[in-house]
């Protein structure tokens, strides 16, 4: 014999209501999650300075001064085939080209960019976008040297540059403590020097360096500083460096976005190339 229990209908109603609420919750949270995932660029697409404007802002362009400076650019696959003659005629005399990222990516435009800049007369070098959360510093330095990051004393080749900055794919400091980040960078730099005989250039922004290395000053004695700041002045430098060697001052150049000032006349660029 079936017995009607008044509470059972109410229970079923609560259960149905709970299911509907859960369904609505799922509907309204999925788009937000999808948008968040869409904001993460594909691996390999990172390039020098991609986080500068978002994290440090843009505050004008350099004020012309008395000190001699030499104009340069940095390029990656985002620029594709570069009009090097146009840049040369506009006064650009040196360039850095992205060669690698992590141990999983090489720039498909590297040959056109690296050789093309050289062929018009520029002094050029290559850079590596670091991803300290994927493989060791030594592994990435070796990958870099093996895929375009080498050096030769021909007067036209700059030492390789380590691009260490905001993580476009996840946690700002790549999930590393400040001491672990310093160790990773040291591992990269030591391996690069062992392979090439040169001290690599360090490209970074003061705010990132302070947050993720604790403003470590131990690399300043040997590694030239390439600082990123989109403003009228270079601002405060990371600890240890009394001056910058290069300054990325804008991502809005007329021919190629990323423009830089070398802190010295062309003969100083040549001196860095010669070691």
């Amino acid at each position: 014999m079936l017995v009607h229990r008044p509470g059972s209908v109410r229970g079923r109603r609560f259960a149905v209501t709970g299911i509907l609420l859960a369904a609505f919750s799922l509907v309204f949270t999925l788009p937000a999650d999808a948008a968040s995932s869409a904001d993460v660029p594909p691996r390999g697409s990172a390039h020098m300075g991609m986080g500068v404007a978002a994290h440090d802002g843009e505050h004008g362009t350099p004020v012309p001064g008395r000190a001699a400076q030499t104009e340069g650019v940095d390029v990656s696959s985002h620029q594709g085939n570069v009009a090097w003659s146009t840049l040369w005629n506009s006064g650009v005399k040196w360039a850095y080209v992205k060669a690698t990222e992590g141990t999983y990516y090489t720039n498909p435009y590297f040959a056109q960019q690296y050789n093309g800049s050289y062929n018009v007369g520029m002094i050029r070098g290559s850079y590596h976008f670091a991803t300290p959360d994927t493989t060791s510093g030594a592994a990435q330095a070796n990958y870099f040297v093996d895929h375009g990051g080498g050096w030769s004393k021909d007067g036209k080749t700059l030492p390789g540059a380590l691009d260490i900055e905001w993580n476009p794919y996840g946690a700002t400091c790549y999930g590393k403590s400040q001491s672990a980040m310093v160790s990773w960078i040291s591992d990269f730099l030591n391996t690069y020097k062992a392979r090439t005989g040169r001290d690599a250039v360090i490209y970074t922004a003061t705010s990132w360096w302070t947050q993720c290395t604790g403003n470590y000053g131990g690399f300043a004695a040997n590694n030239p500083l390439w600082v990123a700041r989109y403003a009228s002045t270079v601002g405060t430098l990371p600890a240890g460096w009394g001056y910058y060697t290069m300054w990325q001052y804008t991502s809005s150049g007329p021919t190629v976005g990323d423009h830089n000032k070398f802190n010295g006349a062309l003969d100083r660029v040549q001196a860095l190339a010669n070691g």
Side-chain angles (χ1 to χ4, degrees):
M1 178 179 178
L2 293 175
V3 178
H4 174 67
R5 300 183 186 277
S8 62
V9 174
R10 188 183 309 155
R12 286 195 296 273
R13 286 174 180 167
F14 280 129
V16 171
T17 302
I19 292 169
L20 288 173
L21 286 173
F24 278 118
S25 174
L26 184 62
V27 167
F28 285 108
T29 56
L30 277 175
D33 292 342
S36 177
S37 298
D39 290 340
V40 178
R43 284 277 177 180
S45 64
H47 56 88
M48 190 172 273
M50 69 183 301
V52 175
H55 291 88
D56 284 352
E58 298 181 76
H59 309 283
T61 53
V63 176
R66 295 180 181 177
Q69 293 182 319
T70 308
E71 193 77 7
V73 296
D74 59 90
V75 299
S76 67
S77 62
H78 289 268
Q79 281 78 29
N81 291 323
V82 175
W84 290 111
S85 295
T86 301
L87 285 166
W88 175 263
N89 292 333
S90 73
V92 174
K93 302 304 178 188
W94 61 275
Y96 266 90
V97 177
K98 181 181 178 181
T100 52
E101 177 179 319
T103 51
Y104 52 79
Y105 174 86
T106 58
N107 175 8
Y109 293 94
F110 181 77
Q112 191 276 344
Q113 295 174 346
Y114 192 70
N115 297 329
S117 54
Y118 180 94
N119 290 338
V120 298
M122 291 185 191
I123 300 172
R124 50 74 166 116
S126 56
Y127 78 85
H128 173 79
F129 192 95
T131 56
D133 57 340
T134 59
T135 45
S136 71
Q140 293 193 29
N142 282 318
Y143 187 81
F144 177 43
V145 174
D146 292 341
H147 296 86
W151 175 79
S152 59
K153 192 173 182 177
D154 56 6
K156 298 287 289 290
T157 304
L158 293 160
L162 172 64
D163 178 359
I164 185 81
E165 57 174 295
W166 294 276
N167 179 9
Y169 310 119
T172 294
C173 300
Y174 300 85
K176 292 192 174 296
S177 66
Q178 292 173 341
S179 61
M181 182 63 75
V182 169
S183 295
W184 191 96
I185 294 170
S186 181
D187 195 27
F188 182 99
L189 297 176
N190 290 339
T191 303
Y192 185 81
K193 185 167 186 178
R195 289 289 306 274
T196 66
R198 292 301 307 271
D199 289 302
V201 173
I202 294 176
Y203 168 96
T204 195
T206 301
S207 61
W208 183 92
W209 190 262
T210 300
Q211 178 181 352
C212 296
T213 74
N215 208 18
Y216 180 75
F219 300 126
N222 298 313
N223 300 94
L225 173 66
W226 186 352
V227 67
R229 187 167 188 260
Y230 300 165
S232 58
T233 63
V234 74
T236 302
L237 301 179
W241 283 282
Y243 62 92
Y244 66 90
T245 298
M246 289 167 277
W247 168 22
Q248 186 189 61
Y249 67 87
T250 186
S251 61
S252 304
T255 303
V256 165
D258 294 350
H259 273 247
N260 307 268
K261 301 286 186 186
F262 192 97
N263 194 10
L266 183 59
D267 65 333
R268 303 316 303 157
V269 184
Q270 292 169 332
L272 180 59
N274 284 321

